């Protein structure tokens, strides 16, 4: 069973099923089709499936051309789960958000696992890629899979291999980012090696799925905690009239033992504001607290409020208030050069400023309107970046420093700017926040 599957994977005759065609699933699909595998993509969102089948992309960083090439090479998208019997590998790339109590919402993982059960058969490998707490694969997937007549490690194989995708990062690709891999049994790991070893340059094999799950969380916690640290130090630096960016850049010249992290208006994206709390929740099971995670969370969550206070102070300094002032937000996405709004601090800033009576508008090259999210329903239309729009605003709030913005035009035509990204030179009318 195992040998046959490994052979199919190595000969690339195996069909790769990817469940969840989002920021993680799509790049993986492209990589597999690029090297000669047939990929069956499954998603519950019919509109995404239709768009992909028509050769359109649904993510800014993936061109329509890449989707069209993938279609030519045998990619097919569908909402029909029963097609999964055709797949030799089933890779799960579904969301793992938090619920409103900031606890892990594993419903997507559990529902998807339940949805694939009827189509599992001997000689398949199942891989979970979604970020999650240590124990998920063993506690949630393994018993469900074994509730059928299949036996993991004998006639079906189960691994966990976290995705390390960094949307917008042009230095690394799916192929060149080393991939961590843990299996339920040594046989699972062996099949996992065949699944990923042909697509990824370097595999980092670990002793269990739990270790692989916690590795991914450590990476994201490391970022969240260090961003919390620089965000706190930024507030102190402002009070002491020190440019925190100058400090970080000087410290970054140390050739060892220092990694630069940069402050901002708050955390965003599907990973850093969310994933650490998966561990916080799981830690309670063994009676422990994750104090660093909680402290960083508190500091980072308060950053939009700090920015709003700076906006108020800036307007006050020219005899105005937030209430009634025209405030133009530059950048909606949670980080520059991408079209991802998830958990974006810009939305928090807009809501806070509207609540205080600000007259808000926005510009973002990736958005004409603001799509509704789980937390926000903001009905604004995007404006165009030109000298008139800039000069008619009482204050410009640079929330996301997209490279597409013309920063010379921005500084030349704005009377007052609050810069949350350290993109502009400090001056009388540029306030850092
Ligand atoms: N976005 C990133 O940069 C990134 C990086 C590393 C890890 N991750 C992790 O990867 C996982 C997926 O994240 P993403 O950013 O790709 O999410 P996404 O929202 O972009 O994509 C998820 C896709 O899954 C689909 N989906 C939801 N429920 C489904 C179901 N039951 N069956 C089939 N499809 C379903 C959705 O329609 C969507 O297309 C998450 O756990 C995330 O934490 C994301």
């Amino acid at each position: 069973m195992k040998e046959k599957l490994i052979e199919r994977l190595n000969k690339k005759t195996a069909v790769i099923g990817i469940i969840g065609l989002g920021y993680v699933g799509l790049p993986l699909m492209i990589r597999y089709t690029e090297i000669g595998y047939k990929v069956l993509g499954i998603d519950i969102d019919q509109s995404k499936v239709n768009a992909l089948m028509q050769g359109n992309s649904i993510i800014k960083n993936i061109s329509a051309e890449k989707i069209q090439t993938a279609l030519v090479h045998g990619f097919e998208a569908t909402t029909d789960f029963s097609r999964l019997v055709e797949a030799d590998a089933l890779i799960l790339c579904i969301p793992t958000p938090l619920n409103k109590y900031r606890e892990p919402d594993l419903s997507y993982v559990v529902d998807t696992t339940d949805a694939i059960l009827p189509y599992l058969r001997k000689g398949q490998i199942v891989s979970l890629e979604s970020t999650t707490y240590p124990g998920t694969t063993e506690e949630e997937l393994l018993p469900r899979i074994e509730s059928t007549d299949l036996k993991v490690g004998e006639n079906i194989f189960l691994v966990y291999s976290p995705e390390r995708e960094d949307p917008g990062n042009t230095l690394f690709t799916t192929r060149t980012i080393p991939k961590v891999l843990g299996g339920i049994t040594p046989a699972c790991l062996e099949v996992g090696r065949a699944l990923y070893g042909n697509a990824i340059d370097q595999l980092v094999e670990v002793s269990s799925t739990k270790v692989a799950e916690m590795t991914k969380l450590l990476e994201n916690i490391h970022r969240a905690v260090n961003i919390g640290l620089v965000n706190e130090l930024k507030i102190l630096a402002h009070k002491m009239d020190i440019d925190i960016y100058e400090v970080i850049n000087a410290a970054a010249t140390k050739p060892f033992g220092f990694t630069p992290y940069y402050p901002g208006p708050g955390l965003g994206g599907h990973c850093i504001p969310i994933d650490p709390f998966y561990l916080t929740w799981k830690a309670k099971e063994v009676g422990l607290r994750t104090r660093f995670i909680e402290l960083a969370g508190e500091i980072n969550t308060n950053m939009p409020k700090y920015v709003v206070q700076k906006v108020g102070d800036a307007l006050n300094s020219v005899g105005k208030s937030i209430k009634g002032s025209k405030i133009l937000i530059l950048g909606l996405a949670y980080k520059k050069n991408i079209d991802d709004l998830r958990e974006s601090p810009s939305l928090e800033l807009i809501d806070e400023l509207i609540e205080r009576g600000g007259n808000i508008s926005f510009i973002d090259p990736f958005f004409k309107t603001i799509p509704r999210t789980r937390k926000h329903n903001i009905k604004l239309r995007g404006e165009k970046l030109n000298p008139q729009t800039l000069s008619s605003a009482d204050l410009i709030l640079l929330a996301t420093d997209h490279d597409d913005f013309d920063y010379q035009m921005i500084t030349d035509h704005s009377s007052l700017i609050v810069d949350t990204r350290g993109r502009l030179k400090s001056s009388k009318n540029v306030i850092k926040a």
Side-chain angles (χ1 to χ4, degrees):
M1 196 66 59
K2 183 185 74 182
E3 280 70 27
K4 246 175 123 182
L5 177 56
I6 291 177
E7 192 187 321
R8 283 175 67 74
L9 287 163
N10 285 337
K11 283 192 170 157
K12 299 181 181 165
T13 50
V15 174
I16 311 292
I18 296 184
I19 301 128
L21 300 171
Y23 285 88
V24 167
L26 278 180
L28 204 59
M29 173 284 278
I30 286 173
R31 178 66 192 141
Y32 277 108
T33 51
E34 197 167 85
I35 55 174
Y37 289 92
K38 182 176 177 329
V39 178
L40 186 63
I42 309 267
D43 204 289
I44 47 169
D45 186 336
Q46 185 70 54
S47 63
K48 274 190 186 174
V49 165
N50 292 347
L52 291 167
M53 288 307 284
Q54 282 157 17
N56 299 317
S57 179
I58 46 180
I59 291 175
K60 190 241 155 196
N61 295 299
I62 295 176
S63 66
E65 207 182 357
K66 282 211 159 133
I67 303 292
Q68 288 153 20
T69 310
L71 289 168
V72 172
H73 289 165
F75 165 56
E76 200 186 329
T78 175
T79 54
D80 179 3
F81 275 67
S82 71
R83 295 280 311 275
L84 281 174
V85 283
E86 296 165 35
D88 299 281
L90 286 74
I91 306 181
L92 274 48
C93 309
I94 54 239
T96 43
L98 293 175
N99 66 20
K100 62 177 174 180
Y101 306 108
R102 299 197 68 70
E103 291 166 344
D105 174 2
L106 267 200
S107 62
Y108 294 88
V109 172
V110 168
D111 293 352
T112 308
T113 310
D114 286 339
I116 65 174
L117 285 187
Y119 312 109
L120 292 184
R121 56 167 172 81
K122 289 178 184 167
Q124 284 176 323
I125 175 169
V126 177
S127 173
L128 177 64
E129 294 224 2
S130 306
T131 309
T132 185
Y133 57 76
T136 307
T137 311
E138 252 179 66
E139 294 159 16
E140 301 294 339
L141 275 75
L142 178 63
R144 284 185 167 77
I145 294 173
E146 292 200 333
S147 70
T148 64
D149 58 356
L150 297 162
K151 182 85 186 115
V152 168
E154 284 177 17
N155 52 23
I156 191 159
F157 306 91
L158 177 60
V159 295
Y160 177 79
S161 182
E163 180 52 61
R164 283 172 159 169
E165 186 66 25
D166 182 17
N169 187 333
T170 50
L171 296 178
F172 300 95
T173 61
T174 306
R175 196 196 100 201
T176 60
I177 301 172
K179 198 151 176 44
V180 174
L181 176 67
I184 292 287
T185 68
C188 294
L189 189 63
E190 216 183 313
V191 182
R193 193 180 299 140
L195 170 62
Y196 289 111
N198 291 303
I200 312 286
D201 286 352
Q202 191 193 337
L203 293 187
V204 182
E205 294 181 14
V206 293
S207 59
S208 65
T209 50
K210 257 193 205 175
V211 169
E213 286 157 340
M214 184 133 167
T215 303
K216 171 71 188 180
L217 288 185
L218 172 62
E219 292 165 14
N220 286 354
I221 291 164
H222 166 90
R223 275 189 71 73
V225 168
N226 280 288
I227 293 170
L229 175 67
V230 287
N231 274 335
E232 185 170 68
L233 294 184
K234 168 182 82 169
I235 298 174
L236 176 67
H238 286 157
K239 280 267 182 220
M240 297 172 81
D241 203 20
I242 294 170
D243 182 344
I244 189 71
Y245 292 93
E246 193 181 350
V247 174
I248 297 168
N249 292 336
T253 60
K254 186 177 174 185
F256 45 83
F258 182 83
T259 306
Y261 287 88
Y262 295 94
L267 292 183
H270 186 19
C271 298
I272 311 298
I274 291 175
D275 303 345
F277 296 98
Y278 267 67
L279 196 61
T280 300
W281 179 82
K282 192 65 177 174
K284 288 184 190 149
E285 200 176 277
V286 290
L288 290 178
R289 279 185 61 199
T290 53
R291 286 169 294 165
F292 271 106
I293 296 175
E294 286 160 59
L295 178 60
E298 190 187 311
I299 294 170
N300 292 328
T301 322
N302 273 323
M303 289 323 290
K305 288 207 165 50
Y306 175 71
V307 172
V308 168
Q309 186 196 321
K310 285 293 224 183
V311 168
D313 292 350
L315 285 166
N316 201 38
S317 72
V318 293
K320 295 178 183 172
S321 62
I322 293 178
K323 187 167 184 170
S325 286
K326 192 159 182 238
I327 300 169
L328 174 63
I329 314 276
L330 295 184
L332 284 187
Y334 78 85
K335 67 173 182 178
K336 67 175 175 178
N337 306 335
I338 65 163
D339 62 348
D340 192 345
L341 264 190
R342 288 177 294 179
E343 310 291 324
S344 174
S346 297
L347 304 183
E348 208 67 43
L349 290 171
I350 293 176
D351 268 350
E352 292 267 352
L353 291 167
I354 289 177
E355 208 180 293
R356 284 165 178 70
N359 176 4
I360 311 301
S361 53
F362 80 89
I363 299 177
D364 188 302
F366 302 115
F367 297 95
K368 287 196 174 68
T369 56
I370 308 182
R372 194 189 175 134
T373 67
R374 269 185 303 146
K375 251 167 85 186
H376 305 273
N377 185 15
I378 305 168
K379 294 193 172 78
L380 290 177
R381 277 202 74 76
E383 307 226 4
K384 290 235 157 23
L385 187 64
N386 57 43
Q388 294 73 34
T389 330
L390 290 165
S391 58
S392 69
D394 296 299
L395 183 139
I396 308 295
L397 174 55
L398 179 59
T400 314
D401 55 337
H402 289 308
D403 289 338
D404 273 7
F405 288 141
D406 180 341
Y407 290 97
Q408 193 58 52
M409 188 208 288
I410 292 168
T411 36
D412 286 352
H413 297 278
S414 311
S415 54
L416 193 55
I417 307 174
V418 170
D419 174 11
T420 67
R421 299 284 183 175
R423 181 83 189 213
L424 305 171
K425 280 211 176 73
S426 285
S427 71
K428 228 175 84 219
N429 68 337
V430 176
I431 288 129
K432 302 274 166 151

